[in-house]
Amino acid sequence: MTTWNLRGTKHHVLICNGSSCMRKGGEEVTNAVRDEIARLDLDTVVHTTRTRCNGRCKDACVLIVYPEGTWYQAVTPELGTEIVRQHLAGGQVIEDAIIYEYNDAGFVAPEQTDCIVGVSKPVKEKV
């Protein structure tokens, strides 16, 4: 096991490798993203983590960029490469691939989106 020193890291990229995402190319997306990070010499400022299911299976393959809290949908190896170039290296999100962005209200979907809303989490009554 490796314990990385994350000092100076500016972005943490979570790449879903749950079963739905793997069926939609999660392994290839992971490799493409990591290869582009290495090619652009961003290894010291971008850390990647393969995750299990992130709960948005209908949007597979899902990729999440922190600390911004930007969730991308239907990520292919080509889109993953563009996310590295434009978002991680260039500071520009790819608007038409976003499921959620984080702001003061929490996670919000873009106004113009074709992604499904999904199942709401139950609200527990306070006693």
Side-chain angles (χ1 to χ4, degrees):
M1 287 283 180
T2 302
T3 302
W4 296 108
N5 179 349
L6 298 177
R7 277 202 178 129
T9 300
K10 297 181 184 199
H11 299 282
H12 186 189
V13 179
L14 306 176
I15 307 164
C16 186
N17 278 207
S19 60
S20 293
C21 288
M22 290 303 277
R23 282 192 296 276
K24 296 272 183 125
E27 179 74 25
E28 293 81 4
V29 169
T30 300
N31 291 334
V33 166
R34 288 177 170 173
D35 289 348
E36 191 66 8
I37 289 168
R39 192 182 76 70
L40 296 177
D41 199 26
L42 297 174
D43 291 307
T44 60
V45 294
V46 179
H47 181 70
T48 63
T49 301
R50 293 174 154 214
T51 69
R52 293 291 188 188
C53 181
N54 288 300
R56 293 293 301 184
C57 300
K58 297 276 185 189
D59 297 316
C61 181
V62 175
L63 185 145
I64 310 161
V65 178
Y66 280 102
E68 298 91 325
T70 305
W71 289 57
Y72 288 101
Q73 67 175 326
V75 179
T76 61
E78 296 77 21
L79 178 55
T81 299
E82 281 305 307
I83 292 168
V84 173
R85 290 181 193 153
Q86 290 184 32
H87 188 151
L88 303 176
Q92 298 296 316
V93 297
I94 301 174
E95 296 287 342
D96 59 343
I98 293 175
I99 311 168
Y100 292 108
E101 291 181 285
Y102 188 80
N103 67 23
D104 293 339
F107 287 107
V108 294
E111 288 184 28
Q112 303 298 323
T113 184
D114 60 355
C115 71
I116 65 166
V117 174
V119 177
S120 296
K121 292 189 174 189
V123 177
K124 295 180 182 177
E125 291 185 37
K126 293 182 181 179
V127 272

